[in-house]
Amino acid sequence: MSRSDEFFEKLQRYGPRVCIETGELTYQYKDLLYEVQCWHHQFDRWGVTAGMVVGLRSDYSLWSVSALLALLSRKSIVALIARDGDPTHQLREARAEALLDVSPDGDNEWRSLAPSSEHALINKLRSSGDGGLVIFTSGSTAAPKAALQSFDRFLYKFRKPGRCLRTLAFMLFDHIGGLDTLFYTLSNGGALVLTRRRDPDFVLNLINVHRIEVLPASSSFLRLCVARGAGTKDLSSLRVITYGSEPMDPVTLKRLTDWLKHVQISQKYGTTEVGSPPTVSRANDSLWVKFKSDTVETRVIDGILWIRTEGAMLGYLNATEGIDEDGWHCTGDLVEVDGEWIMFRGRCTDIINVGGQKVAPVEVEQVILQLDFVQEVIVRGEPHALLGQIVTAKIRLSADDLDIKEAAKRIRAHCQRCLPRYKVPMNIVAVDMSMVDARQKLRRRSVALD
């Protein structure tokens, strides 16, 4: 029996369990499977076949989840399309033959698309008889890439039993972290609690009202939660917080562990290219992590992490690099190594070259975030006639009454005490708006210093 067949067989066994909660509505697994069958009838009318590439544009709902499952069970290839912006580019890059747009209340729109050019990887997946996923990278450090994944390979990490828990669907529907949350929850008969807002006050209140047990979030979101001092909320139901998608700073992690002593706090690692291999943190307040799956291999070359795993993508549809002939993927993540433990230090593409000296922005950001009056910071390199680049910082202050000139003075003084001179920001500017995007990650590529 294939992994996909085993997965759908599990869903049948979970029939009366709660599957999805949204607002005042609660749906059981049998409701989900009923909607899957309804989609099958609709897909028959639309002529959806095995191997057909269908763009799915939606957020979490009973209808979007059931549409995704119905397409995958038909061995179709589902391209997950971002809800924000014009979908034309992503549909073209994914070689989509149709677009299904599903609204949160279940309304849908089907649009057939002009035939696209053939792609060898798609033809290979079709010939294997397996369904698939096209997932776009976030584009936070480069142009988004369309990664093609076999559905059977994607399910590899969910084959072992996990915990049946009430989990918040925090990561977006078209994000690898969101897919990981969805399929882990469904594989283990848990309940997925949906949200239309992702600001700290709303989410923390949702945890209280719906007695949520698992909060998968980004480091930036957790930093905002800690900065808001939302300790008045009842979070006694929480059992696990997982964070990832960008480096965490030690100060925020320490404050988080002090605030939620009863919660297991774990760092997760995942990329669109290799999925989300199982990891374990050295301790709640530790930034060191290791991969614990017997199907994941790692190596570090010149400080950059490489991964080989059964759950890796087949390749990109719009780029040539990806997985090498031996199955290894260069993640581009800078790491430190301590035996089997690793610590993430940012992306190699973000490195700043100051007169031949290399500066990792994350290192400078973590020093600046030690200051209570800084809520968010993005450090990057800016061109300089003599040095090549200089270190610059864009900050969002947590204190409205603090003058930016005084803040910059204190930031430089603190950095001079903690960092070599060439790592100290030469230019510091403040912004009023959050620098966190819809995926709850810092907007590194779109931030320019004025």
Side-chain angles (χ1 to χ4, degrees):
M1 182 182 295
S2 69
R3 288 176 186 153
S4 58
D5 290 338
E6 290 176 354
F7 171 77
F8 286 107
E9 189 177 84
K10 285 182 185 177
L11 301 190
Q12 295 283 351
R13 296 199 300 266
Y14 298 146
R17 294 188 189 180
V18 173
C19 175
I20 292 174
E21 287 187 13
T22 174
E24 301 300 320
L25 300 177
T26 299
Y27 302 100
Q28 299 176 335
Y29 276 83
K30 61 183 180 182
D31 300 319
L32 176 66
L33 292 173
Y34 173 80
E35 293 298 330
V36 169
Q37 290 304 312
C38 291
W39 279 116
H40 276 305
H41 295 313
Q42 186 63 65
F43 291 145
D44 286 339
R45 289 192 288 271
W46 286 333
V48 178
T49 58
M52 183 175 179
V53 182
V54 177
L56 177 59
R57 189 170 183 242
S58 187
D59 199 351
Y60 290 101
S61 69
L62 173 69
W63 300 278
S64 63
V65 173
S66 57
L68 172 63
L69 296 181
L71 287 167
L72 291 172
S73 69
R74 295 172 80 91
K75 312 300 183 184
S76 299
I77 301 170
V78 185
L80 295 167
I81 306 300
R83 285 204 61 77
D84 54 325
D86 186 347
T88 304
H89 178 72
Q90 287 191 337
L91 291 169
R92 183 174 60 250
E93 298 292 273
R95 271 69 171 182
E97 301 163 70
L99 171 64
L100 173 61
D101 208 322
V102 183
S103 71
D105 59 4
D107 291 338
N108 65 80
E109 179 183 351
W110 175 267
R111 176 158 54 100
S112 296
L113 303 174
S116 59
S117 59
E118 293 286 311
H119 195 285
L121 287 177
I122 292 178
N123 290 337
K124 180 180 179 181
L125 182 59
R126 286 170 176 159
S127 65
S128 72
D130 186 18
L133 293 158
V134 179
I135 312 168
F136 285 86
T137 59
S138 64
S140 58
T141 59
K145 298 173 182 175
L148 179 65
Q149 174 66 274
S150 151
F151 182 50
D152 200 67
R153 287 175 58 158
F154 174 79
L155 290 173
Y156 92 100
K157 70 167 289 187
F158 307 109
R159 69 197 188 284
K160 294 182 179 179
R163 292 188 283 180
C164 175
L165 299 170
R166 297 173 57 78
T167 301
L168 179 67
F170 182 82
M171 300 297 187
L172 297 187
F173 188 64
D174 63 320
H175 184 268
I176 186 63
L179 284 178
D180 187 70
T181 298
L182 172 63
F183 280 93
Y184 181 91
T185 302
L186 296 181
S187 293
N188 294 288
L192 200 68
V193 181
L194 311 188
T195 180
R196 297 290 169 236
R197 291 172 51 186
R198 289 172 173 83
D199 56 278
D201 288 337
F202 187 86
V203 167
L204 294 175
N205 185 64
L206 199 66
I207 292 171
N208 176 19
V209 173
H210 286 266
R211 310 308 295 164
I212 291 170
E213 296 173 293
V214 183
L215 170 62
S218 68
S219 303
S220 290
F221 176 79
L222 295 174
R223 189 175 300 119
L224 292 176
C225 288
V226 171
R228 296 289 282 274
T232 57
K233 303 291 184 182
D234 178 9
L235 304 181
S236 59
S237 64
L238 263 186
R239 297 172 60 183
V240 179
I241 291 177
T242 62
Y243 65 90
S245 75
E246 57 184 355
M248 172 68 83
D249 65 283
V251 173
T252 297
L253 186 56
K254 179 65 166 59
R255 291 172 179 169
L256 190 65
T257 55
D258 288 345
W259 173 25
L260 300 171
K261 293 183 173 64
H262 68 287
V263 177
Q264 174 190 340
I265 300 175
S266 299
Q267 181 177 181
K268 296 299 180 183
Y269 179 80
T271 71
T272 305
E273 294 85 356
V274 299
S276 303
T279 56
V280 59
S281 293
R282 181 179 274 179
N284 265 16
D285 59 354
S286 174
L287 295 176
W288 292 96
V289 65
K290 68 178 178 180
F291 294 94
K292 63 179 182 179
S293 173
D294 55 1
T295 61
V296 179
E297 298 175 79
T298 62
R299 65 187 184 189
V300 177
I301 301 176
D302 297 328
I304 299 174
L305 177 67
W306 291 64
I307 291 180
R308 181 164 63 184
T309 173
E310 183 181 347
M313 66 174 183
L314 299 177
Y316 295 123
L317 299 180
N318 58 350
T320 54
E321 72 276 18
I323 308 296
D324 71 17
E325 60 184 14
D326 295 320
W328 287 96
H329 171 65
C330 178
T331 67
D333 289 313
L334 292 168
V335 296
E336 294 181 19
V337 180
D338 181 16
E340 61 183 346
W341 300 92
I342 59 176
M343 182 188 296
F344 293 96
R345 307 302 295 170
R347 302 283 297 172
C348 62
T349 51
D350 294 332
I351 288 295
I352 305 166
N353 193 323
V354 182
Q357 301 276 10
K358 293 183 178 180
V359 181
V362 168
E363 179 185 4
V364 183
E365 290 168 356
Q366 290 180 344
V367 169
I368 294 175
L369 286 169
Q370 293 171 1
L371 300 169
D372 291 340
F373 60 84
V374 178
Q375 183 165 320
E376 296 175 17
V377 57
I378 293 179
V379 170
R380 60 178 296 174
E382 291 292 323
H384 189 271
L386 296 179
L387 300 175
Q389 286 183 302
I390 57 171
V391 179
T392 58
K394 198 164 205 175
I395 61 171
R396 183 184 178 203
L397 300 175
S398 57
D400 295 333
D401 58 346
L402 183 61
D403 179 73
I404 178 55
K405 291 184 179 180
E406 176 61 23
K409 180 181 177 181
R410 290 164 62 177
I411 288 171
R412 286 196 185 92
H414 180 66
C415 288
Q416 287 167 355
R417 290 191 295 269
C418 302
L419 297 167
R421 183 177 178 181
Y422 66 90
K423 295 183 180 181
V424 176
M426 292 184 65
N427 188 16
I428 300 174
V429 298
V431 296
D432 296 327
M433 301 295 291
S434 175
M435 295 181 284
V436 175
D437 63 18
R439 297 176 184 271
Q440 303 301 313
K441 295 174 64 175
L442 288 172
R443 299 188 188 97
R444 293 192 178 276
R445 291 186 70 229
S446 60
V447 172
L449 285 105
D450 303 318

